[in-house]
Amino acid sequence: MKKLLLGNAAVARGAYEAGVNVVASYPGTPSTEITEEIVKYDEIYAEWSPNEKVAAEVAIGASIGGARAMSCMKHVGLNVMADPVFTVSYTGVNGGLVLCVADDPGMHSSQNEQDSRHYAKASKITMLEPADSSECKEFTKLAFKLSEEMDTPVFIRLSTRVSHSQSMVELSERENIDIKPYEKNIGKYVMMPGNAIKRHVVVEERINKLKEYAEKSDLNVVEDNNSKIGVISAGIAYMYSKEVLGDKADYLKLGMVYPLPENKIKEFCKNHDKVFVIEELDPFIEDYCKSLGLTVYGKDMLTLLGEYTPSMIKKAVLGEEQPEVLQASEPIPVRPPVMCAGCPHRGAFYVLKKLGLTVSGDIGCYTLGATVPLQSVDTTICMGASVSAAHGMAKARGKEFNKKLVSVIGDSTFMHSGITGLVDIVYNKGNNTVIILDNSITGMTGHQDNPTTGYTIRGEETKQVNLIALCKAVGIDNIRVCDPFDVKEFEKVVKEETEREEPSVIISQRPCALLKTVKYTGHCKINDNCKNCKMCMKLGCPAITVKDDKVVIDQSQCNGCGLCVNVCPFGAIKKEDN
């Protein structure tokens, strides 16, 4: 039976059909749907882990225990996961182990656009790269077999367009794969130096076997159209090339992007007058070709930046312009990124800006606190960095600077990697104020549960991490819980805690407005008391606009959260129930 599937759903289906037993991940666009699809299969244990490193370690443990296991992440999550990944390359596997990483060329939802292929080379782990949903499924199944045959973890690299595009997939039944026996093997699984140095030899022998495999594997195929132009490509860049070049070029389609097939590439280049390497992001394949002394064209014709388009490839290879796509007759209004109406973070950032504080920010919906008109966030580096970076700022600039400095971090991100920064503050005698923006969910990636919500990935009730008790346990004595929509109280609390000569935590607690459990009613209206001071405009609420130089509230967008009622100094905004 064939079915139209998203690339991410096809990876999940491939894992299911391959008989995978355990999947552990942390959500991150564009990879999130893989695990959300996995959880639909009752045969598979699935979890959202607190971060990618933990997720990888869970999967590695399952693999050593004899089960087929998988972990999925976005490209920046691979940075977090890198520590165990480099060592599992040495230990190898017992049950098959697959690591799916989704890159984000163009940074649709990321803080950088790093190229994960470098991790494959650096960790000496083979990497497969599918080009469509069908290959997503088949490559995933193959990855588990390859993992067990070669005693290695296997990367599957996706990109936004492959993860989020749909194509037809042939479905098969789930394989019955018995969990392998577990056998104690200290030399293989205990990576103390005396064992690791021996395992490094095994890793080098394995990579040579994988190079031989890459030469003969059907993953790397030549498509001969009797052309003098050759294209070497992989993934979505191959699909774009095929779309616009058709039979005007021959193709060496690479399904295995590490290690690369040296002889196959040399032979392909020898048989063509001009060879283009078409690949998004870094010149990974191009540099390899040039290291072999081959003449190829790539980044001198195409950009290092962002996503490619078919028209870019056509112009670079054939020098031809692609006909322009039809444009809408009317200009499409620009919609800048903005927090949702009713977002609980809006009240917190309103206060922080009013107080003129330096805000060390983090990754999540609340990164939008850097946009107009709130413009509160000063820095955003990576998950968890808000806490530790503020500690560094305070140590560098001193006590008075610290009184005007706070960290902001979401509840899920705090569990991911913020907690270690808080421990560092306590241990190294910092006195920072950390604001945990607790909206009771992992918001930006689409409402995934986390250890603070009290529910598992399957919606089952579980133990809920108590943020107050947790902060106390690491040594924070001053913990305040405050509603960010009570702006007067919130401002008072922030002032008091930033003046304190000890570290403190403020838990800014109000659930995400988009949660089904949040039942705002009615909407807000402006009455005749309005002095047109535009104080309410400082909230950046998408429902509040100016029309004919008068502030108005768009009833279709207002969800009745009432934050604007709390900031109006003239009592000119009242909430009306439906």
Side-chain angles (χ1 to χ4, degrees):
M1 182 181 74
K2 286 190 174 181
K3 189 174 182 182
L4 190 64
L5 287 182
L6 205 67
N8 282 346
V11 170
R13 180 70 193 189
Y16 166 77
E17 291 182 7
V20 72
N21 303 100
V22 174
V23 175
S25 308
Y26 185 81
T29 306
S31 70
T32 308
E33 296 87 356
I34 302 173
T35 309
E36 290 182 331
E37 290 292 326
I38 284 283
V39 80
K40 296 176 183 175
Y41 300 110
D42 293 338
E43 297 87 343
I44 302 172
Y45 169 79
E47 70 169 43
W48 289 129
S49 304
N51 65 31
E52 295 84 356
K53 178 174 180 289
V54 173
E57 290 158 351
V58 170
I60 290 167
S63 166
I64 292 173
R68 287 190 167 184
M70 186 166 79
S71 187
C72 311
M73 76 231 76
K74 66 182 296 178
H75 60 296
V76 290
L78 183 51
N79 301 332
V80 183
M81 185 184 281
D83 197 5
V85 164
F86 274 68
T87 300
V88 77
S89 174
Y90 276 43
T91 66
V93 305
N94 186 16
L97 176 64
V98 174
L99 308 169
C100 292
V101 56
D103 286 3
D104 187 15
M107 292 178 282
H108 298 283
S109 182
S110 309
Q111 65 268 45
N112 65 47
E113 52 181 349
Q114 70 192 44
D115 191 325
S116 294
R117 292 176 296 179
H118 297 293
Y119 271 104
K121 183 179 179 183
S123 63
K124 304 191 178 187
I125 294 175
T126 193
M127 176 176 273
L128 312 184
E129 182 167 355
D132 60 16
S133 297
S134 178
E135 288 191 350
C136 282
K137 195 204 83 167
E138 296 303 328
F139 283 21
T140 301
K141 294 176 73 173
L142 175 61
F144 281 103
K145 290 181 181 175
L146 196 58
S147 172
E148 291 173 355
E149 287 172 7
M150 295 285 186
D151 190 14
T152 179
V154 176
F155 278 123
I156 292 178
R157 182 200 187 213
L158 306 168
S159 64
T160 302
R161 297 299 162 188
V162 174
S163 288
H164 290 167
S165 297
Q166 296 188 71
S167 58
M168 297 302 290
V169 177
E170 181 74 41
L171 304 186
S172 303
E173 296 298 318
R174 178 175 166 88
E175 296 177 49
N176 292 317
I177 305 293
D178 293 333
I179 294 180
K180 292 184 174 181
Y182 169 72
E183 294 180 5
K184 190 180 183 83
N185 188 338
I186 292 173
K188 187 172 190 287
Y189 295 121
V190 181
M191 283 304 93
M192 54 189 175
N195 292 337
I197 201 164
K198 295 171 188 167
R199 291 298 301 178
H200 190 184
V201 176
V202 175
V203 170
E204 297 302 334
E205 291 172 349
R206 184 184 72 208
I207 208 70
N208 286 332
K209 288 181 185 174
L210 286 164
K211 286 177 181 175
E212 292 175 12
Y213 178 85
E215 297 287 356
K216 62 186 180 184
S217 171
D218 291 339
L219 288 166
N220 303 320
V221 294
V222 174
E223 297 178 16
D224 188 359
N225 294 309
N226 200 28
S227 173
K228 292 298 180 185
I229 298 174
V231 169
I232 303 175
S233 192
I236 198 66
Y238 160 78
M239 299 299 282
Y240 291 161
S241 300
K242 285 276 287 184
E243 180 180 332
V244 291
L245 304 179
D247 58 8
K248 292 179 181 177
D250 294 345
Y251 303 90
L252 173 52
K253 179 186 180 299
L254 300 173
M256 177 184 274
V257 292
Y258 184 79
L260 290 163
E262 176 180 337
N263 294 328
K264 198 170 271 188
I265 288 173
K266 283 181 176 175
E267 185 70 14
F268 186 77
C269 290
K270 188 177 76 175
N271 293 331
H272 293 87
D273 293 343
K274 197 169 186 178
V275 175
F276 295 85
V277 177
I278 312 293
E279 55 186 332
E280 291 178 328
L281 300 179
D282 292 342
F284 186 83
I285 302 169
E286 180 184 346
D287 285 351
Y288 179 75
C289 292
K290 289 178 176 175
S291 74
L292 299 176
L294 302 171
T295 299
V296 296
Y297 299 88
K299 296 303 176 187
D300 48 347
M301 312 287 287
L302 288 154
T303 180
L304 282 159
L305 311 176
E307 292 187 294
Y308 285 0
T309 63
S311 60
M312 290 166 62
I313 294 170
K314 188 172 186 178
K315 187 174 182 181
V317 177
L318 302 179
E320 298 175 6
E321 296 283 352
Q322 183 81 346
E324 289 188 7
V325 296
L326 291 175
Q327 300 288 332
S329 56
E330 297 293 327
I332 299 171
V334 176
R335 182 189 181 278
V338 65
M339 292 175 187
C340 306
C343 176
H345 305 326
R346 182 171 283 108
F349 284 119
Y350 170 79
V351 169
L352 299 181
K353 183 176 184 182
K354 182 180 178 184
L355 295 176
L357 301 183
T358 298
V359 177
S360 180
D362 221 293
I363 305 290
C365 300
Y366 42 89
T367 310
L368 295 171
T371 60
V372 290
L374 296 165
Q375 293 177 294
S376 294
V377 175
D378 289 70
T379 64
T380 301
I381 303 167
C382 64
M383 297 280 280
S386 60
V387 182
S388 36
H391 176 60
M393 281 188 195
K395 289 293 183 185
R397 302 195 65 87
K399 186 188 298 184
E400 291 307 311
F401 183 84
N402 193 42
K403 289 181 178 178
K404 301 289 282 183
L405 172 67
V406 294
S407 302
V408 293
I409 185 168
D411 50 328
S412 180
T413 313
F414 183 71
M415 295 306 303
H416 177 281
S417 48
I419 183 68
T420 47
L422 191 64
V423 170
D424 189 42
I425 288 171
V426 173
Y427 174 64
N428 285 302
K429 301 179 180 180
N431 63 345
N432 298 70
T433 298
V434 175
I435 302 176
I436 300 174
L437 300 171
D438 178 9
N439 66 353
S440 307
I441 203 70
T442 309
M444 181 165 264
T445 47
H447 283 188
Q448 290 78 27
D449 282 293
N450 66 65
T452 71
T453 65
Y455 295 91
T456 70
I457 191 172
R458 295 189 188 276
E460 301 160 339
E461 289 190 21
T462 185
K463 286 273 189 181
Q464 182 178 15
V465 170
N466 183 321
L467 286 172
I468 298 173
L470 179 63
C471 294
K472 280 185 178 176
V474 303
I476 300 291
D477 295 325
N478 309 293
I479 303 166
R480 309 277 290 273
V481 180
C482 195
D483 181 355
F485 275 18
D486 186 349
V487 289
K488 289 181 180 175
E489 177 65 16
F490 195 80
E491 181 177 338
K492 174 174 170 286
V493 168
V494 172
K495 282 180 178 176
E496 290 172 354
E497 296 307 319
T498 49
E499 283 294 324
R500 199 182 284 278
E501 299 288 339
E502 298 175 272
S504 62
V505 168
I506 301 170
I507 301 174
S508 173
Q509 199 166 63
R510 179 172 275 258
C512 174
L514 301 182
L515 285 173
K516 291 178 181 176
T517 52
V518 175
K519 305 288 185 187
Y520 291 128
T521 58
H523 43 251
C524 299
K525 278 191 173 180
I526 298 175
N527 59 36
D528 292 340
N529 291 335
C530 179
K531 306 297 182 188
N532 212 26
C533 68
K534 297 187 173 63
M535 182 69 77
C536 53
M537 292 293 295
K538 295 182 178 180
L539 295 173
C541 176
I544 305 175
T545 58
V546 175
K547 189 175 183 181
D548 298 330
D549 200 36
K550 292 286 186 184
V551 178
V552 294
I553 296 178
D554 182 346
Q555 303 298 297
S556 66
Q557 294 203 57
C558 175
N559 64 4
C561 75
L563 175 61
C564 55
V565 175
N566 295 343
V567 302
C568 178
F570 304 107
I573 305 177
K574 299 292 183 187
K575 187 173 171 184
E576 296 185 353
D577 291 329
N578 287 328

